[in-house]
């Protein structure tokens, strides 16, 4: 499903190149490292494509990005440790889900996290909507 979306947009954007899917065990290890379960849609995306070389981070890059941002910014940016970053816009801003105090990920809204002021801007209510809106230059 998501791979087909990528391939559709790849026709007009040569930078979009979905990688082969991640293995379930790699996703489980990532969840253990993060201390939360990935939303089902994001889990499915990783199974179909472990990043796309353009918008979506690979599992490894996602883990490294989260660790780096939390390590560098947690002291100055309240709440950054409660964000699950999974995609980047190339300008230092990231797309993310919020992690609730219970440790559950709120999959009802995808946000754009603005690195300059730690602001969260809601951009989509599903991963499918997010992909479509991003590649149609609506966000």
């Amino acid at each position: 499903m998501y791979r087909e979306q990528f391939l559709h947009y790849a026709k007009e954007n040569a930078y979009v190149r979905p990688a082969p899917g991640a293995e379930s065990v790699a996703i489980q290890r990532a969840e253990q490292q993060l201390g939360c379960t990935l939303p089902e849609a994001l889990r499915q995306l990783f199974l179909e494509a472990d990043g796309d070389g353009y918008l979506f981070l690979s599992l490894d890059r996602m883990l490294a990005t989260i660790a780096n941002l939390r390590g560098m910014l947690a002291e100055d940016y309240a709440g950054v440790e409660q964000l699950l970053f999974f995609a980047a816009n190339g300008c230092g801003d990231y797309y993310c889900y919020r992690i609730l105090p219970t440790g559950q990920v709120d999959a009802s809204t995808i946000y754009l996290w603005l690195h300059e002021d730690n602001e969260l801007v809601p951009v989509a209510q599903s991963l499918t909507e997010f992909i479509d809106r991003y590649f149609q230059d609506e966000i």
Side-chain angles (χ1 to χ4, degrees):
M1 173 175 143
Y2 299 110
R3 189 170 195 82
E4 288 80 20
Q5 267 188 302
F6 289 140
L7 294 174
H8 170 76
Y9 290 112
K11 293 174 187 173
E12 296 178 22
N13 186 329
Y15 297 106
V16 178
R17 289 170 288 190
E23 296 195 16
S24 295
V25 69
I27 295 170
Q28 291 169 346
R29 278 195 305 261
E31 289 174 328
Q32 288 173 342
Q33 187 173 336
L34 292 167
C36 65
T37 302
L38 297 179
E40 188 54 38
L42 189 58
R43 172 185 284 274
Q44 186 61 44
L45 179 136
F46 280 122
L47 287 170
E48 294 180 26
D50 190 9
D52 70 349
Y54 183 71
L55 172 63
F56 286 95
L57 306 174
S58 67
L59 269 177
D60 288 341
R61 190 161 165 228
M62 180 184 78
L63 292 172
T65 297
I66 290 170
N68 287 339
L69 291 174
R70 288 178 181 175
M72 291 185 312
L73 302 176
E75 195 172 295
D76 296 322
Y77 281 2
V80 75
E81 67 282 349
Q82 298 300 314
L83 300 177
L84 179 65
F85 302 107
F86 63 87
N89 69 1
C91 299
D93 302 325
Y94 291 88
Y95 297 96
C96 62
Y97 292 103
R98 287 181 41 244
I99 302 171
L100 302 172
T102 61
Q104 301 252 206
V105 177
D106 176 7
S108 68
T109 306
I110 295 171
Y111 297 91
L112 171 61
W113 175 77
L114 302 172
H115 76 282
E116 292 178 352
D117 59 7
N118 196 33
E119 181 181 353
L120 287 177
V121 179
V123 294
Q125 295 181 341
S126 72
L127 203 51
T128 302
E129 177 190 4
F130 169 69
I131 294 168
D132 286 338
R133 292 191 70 215
Y134 182 86
F135 286 106
Q136 293 170 7
D137 292 325
E138 294 176 9
I139 52 175

